[in-house]
Amino acid sequence: MKRLLSSLSLALLVVLSVSACQPGSSEKFINTDVTGLDYAKDFALTDHNGKPRTLADFKGKAVVMFFGYTQCPDVCPTTMAEMANVMQQLGSQADKVQVLFVTIDPARDTPTILAQYVPAFDKRFLGLYGDDAATAKVAKEFKVFFQKVPGKTPGSYTMDHTAGSYVFDPQGRIRLFVRHDQGAEPIVHDLKILLS
C-alpha cells in the first residue's frame, strides 16, 4: 500500500510539474500584474505613417506601449533595443506582438523622425504621436509623467518621463506594467503566457 501511495504521489508530482510548464496554465507573470486597472484603457493617436490609431486596431495581438522621445539619451533607446531583442527571442510569435512608441515630445518628434527612429529597432514597431493636447490626454489616461527639462539652448531640452511600459493582451485588456532595464527574458516569458 505504501508503495502504491508513493507511486501515485510521484505520478501526481510529475503531472503537476509538467502542467506548470505549459503556457497559460498556472504560470505567474514576472512583471507587475495590473489586470483590471481602471485607467490605461485606450488612446487616440496617429502612427508615423499618418494613420489614426486606437487600441482596437491591434486586437488579436499583445501590445507593448512605451512613452518616450527620439532624442532621449538612454532610457528610450535601451527600451527599444530590449524590445527588439524580445521580438527576436519570440521567433514566429513576434508577429502576434505590436510595440508602440508614444512620443512625449511632439514638437521635435515629427512623423518623419518617428518613421526613421522607431522602425530602425524593428520594422514592425510603430511610432505614435498627437498634438500637445492629445499627448497630455493620453499621458493622463496612462498616468505617465513627463516634463521638459531646459537645456543650454531652447532646442536642446530633455524630457523626464516614466520609464516603464504597459502590456495589453490580445483581447485589448491591460495586463502588465514592465519595469525598465530588466533584460528581455522576463518580457518574453510574460508575453508567451499572454499569447498562449
Side-chain angles (χ1 to χ4, degrees):
M1 184 69 172
K2 269 186 172 178
R3 184 175 282 167
L4 178 62
L5 283 175
S6 127
S7 295
L8 285 172
S9 297
L10 181 61
L12 182 60
L13 187 61
V14 168
V15 167
L16 288 174
S17 65
V18 168
S19 69
C21 295
Q22 299 303 313
S25 61
S26 59
E27 282 190 88
K28 299 279 186 236
F29 293 124
I30 295 172
N31 288 281
T32 306
D33 187 340
V34 295
T35 303
L37 276 186
D38 62 352
Y39 60 90
K41 295 195 182 297
D42 206 354
F43 58 85
L45 296 166
T46 304
D47 74 21
H48 63 245
N49 300 308
K51 183 174 181 180
R53 295 291 195 163
T54 66
L55 190 57
D57 293 327
F58 307 105
K59 196 144 185 143
K61 290 186 174 190
V63 174
V64 180
M65 193 169 175
F66 174 73
F67 291 78
Y69 66 113
T70 63
Q71 295 190 37
C72 179
D74 44 30
V75 171
C76 304
T78 303
T79 298
M80 296 298 280
E82 187 174 79
M83 286 312 304
N85 191 5
V86 165
M87 297 295 268
Q88 280 186 326
Q89 289 187 35
L90 282 171
S92 62
Q93 283 187 299
D95 290 333
K96 297 176 185 170
V97 175
Q98 181 62 62
V99 174
L100 302 175
F101 176 91
V102 180
T103 183
I104 51 160
D105 186 15
R108 292 185 297 189
D109 288 345
T110 64
T112 302
I113 288 173
L114 286 170
Q116 292 167 352
Y117 180 83
V118 177
F121 293 94
D122 185 294
K123 64 181 179 3
R124 296 167 287 200
F125 291 3
L126 282 175
L128 298 179
Y129 68 93
D131 60 17
D132 289 341
T135 301
K137 182 178 179 182
V138 75
K140 183 177 181 183
E141 169 64 18
F142 282 78
K143 298 196 184 302
V144 168
F145 165 82
F146 71 96
Q147 179 178 344
K148 188 185 284 190
V149 179
K152 291 180 180 175
T153 64
S156 68
Y157 61 87
T158 58
M159 302 288 286
D160 283 346
H161 62 94
T162 302
S165 303
Y166 286 102
V167 180
F168 296 85
D169 67 20
Q171 290 74 45
R173 298 173 300 205
I174 186 76
R175 299 299 300 276
L176 298 169
F177 183 77
V178 176
R179 297 171 310 282
H180 167 66
D181 201 22
Q182 61 178 311
E185 287 73 19
I187 305 169
V188 170
H189 172 273
D190 289 353
L191 284 173
K192 283 184 174 181
I193 294 174
L194 290 179
L195 293 171
S196 64

